[in-house]
């Protein structure tokens, strides 16, 4: 009689799942650290125009965004099909731009206020009348640092 038994051939040992919780927690921490929450939900169609001479802004916390364009298909029934202005997470009229700028200024520290920049994220198909009205409102509250947000590329691609 033999002391040792022969292993049965063909059977695989069971897969060890001991390290599985470590892998799950490592992935969870990675996504918690790497994920950035979106600040505003875009409610308009916003296909930005293309420009070839662009410059990146240094401090994004000193930028206030004003969106303009036609409401997206999700909001078209309630907001209509004309170009609208979006301030933070709601549709607004041109007359509300002043209050928005003043509220943004009030939320910043006093020494940061002179460096605030207004970024206009205007859809490429929005008429310039709306953009002119926004600029007029910004001029009245002395928000004179304006940035037009674009995508990089050839400027001739805007005419396609």
């Amino acid at each position: 009689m033999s002391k040792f038994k022969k292993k049965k051939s063909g059977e695989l040992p069971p897969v060890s799942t001991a390290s599985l919780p470590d892998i799950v927690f490592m992935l969870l921490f990675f996504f918690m650290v790497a994920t950035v929450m979106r600040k505003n939900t875009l409610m308009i169609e916003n296909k930005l125009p293309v420009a070839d001479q662009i410059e990146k802004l240094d401090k994004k916390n000193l930028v206030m965004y004003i969106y303009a364009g036609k409401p997206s298909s999700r909001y078209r029934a309630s907001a209509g099909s004309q170009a609208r202005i979006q301030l933070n997470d709601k549709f607004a009229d041109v007359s509300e731009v002043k209050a928005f700028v003043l509220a943004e200024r009030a939320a910043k520290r006093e020494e940061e206020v002179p460096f605030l920049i207004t970024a206009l994220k205007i859809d490429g198909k929005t008429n310039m009348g709306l953009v002119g009205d926004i600029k007029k409102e910004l001029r009245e509250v002395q928000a004179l640092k304006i940035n037009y947000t674009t995508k990089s590329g050839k400027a001739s691609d805007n005419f396609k």
Side-chain angles (χ1 to χ4, degrees):
M1 208 167 193
S2 69
K3 196 172 186 179
F4 301 103
K5 290 184 180 178
K6 276 188 166 181
K7 281 188 169 180
K8 294 180 184 177
S9 63
E11 283 187 31
L12 294 173
V15 176
S16 174
T17 59
S19 62
L20 191 60
D22 294 337
I23 294 170
V24 169
F25 279 113
M26 187 172 61
L27 286 173
L28 178 69
F29 288 133
F30 170 75
F31 286 116
M32 286 173 58
V33 171
T35 303
V36 176
M37 301 300 277
R38 182 178 281 183
K39 191 173 181 182
N40 294 329
T41 303
L42 205 55
M43 299 165 67
I44 60 169
E45 293 177 359
N46 197 351
K47 187 178 176 193
L48 298 173
V50 181
D52 54 0
Q53 296 180 0
I54 59 172
E55 197 172 308
K56 204 167 194 170
L57 294 175
D58 292 334
K59 295 182 179 179
K60 297 246 179 184
N61 63 340
L62 296 176
V63 178
M64 54 185 149
Y65 294 97
I66 296 176
Y67 301 92
K70 291 183 179 177
S72 62
S73 59
R74 185 175 166 193
Y75 298 100
R76 197 162 290 159
S78 62
S81 61
Q82 294 293 322
R84 302 283 310 262
I85 298 171
Q86 180 182 345
L87 303 172
N88 290 334
D89 280 338
K90 65 175 187 167
F91 288 116
D93 291 328
V94 175
S95 60
E96 298 176 44
V97 171
K98 282 185 202 173
F100 170 74
V101 170
L102 295 175
E104 289 287 322
R105 282 183 183 165
K108 300 291 180 191
R109 294 188 315 208
E110 190 175 329
E111 61 266 10
E112 292 177 341
V113 169
F115 303 107
L116 277 175
I117 299 172
T118 306
L120 299 177
K121 288 191 165 189
I122 309 293
D123 185 55
K125 294 183 179 176
T126 304
N127 60 7
M128 284 303 292
L130 181 64
V131 177
D133 292 342
I134 293 170
K135 288 173 58 179
K136 184 179 172 186
E137 293 289 319
L138 292 174
R139 207 174 303 132
E140 289 179 9
V141 290
Q142 297 296 317
L144 303 176
K145 291 184 178 181
I146 298 174
N147 173 25
Y148 292 97
T149 305
T150 63
K151 290 183 176 179
S152 64
K154 290 184 177 180
S156 61
D157 292 343
N158 291 323
F159 302 113
K160 290 183 180 177

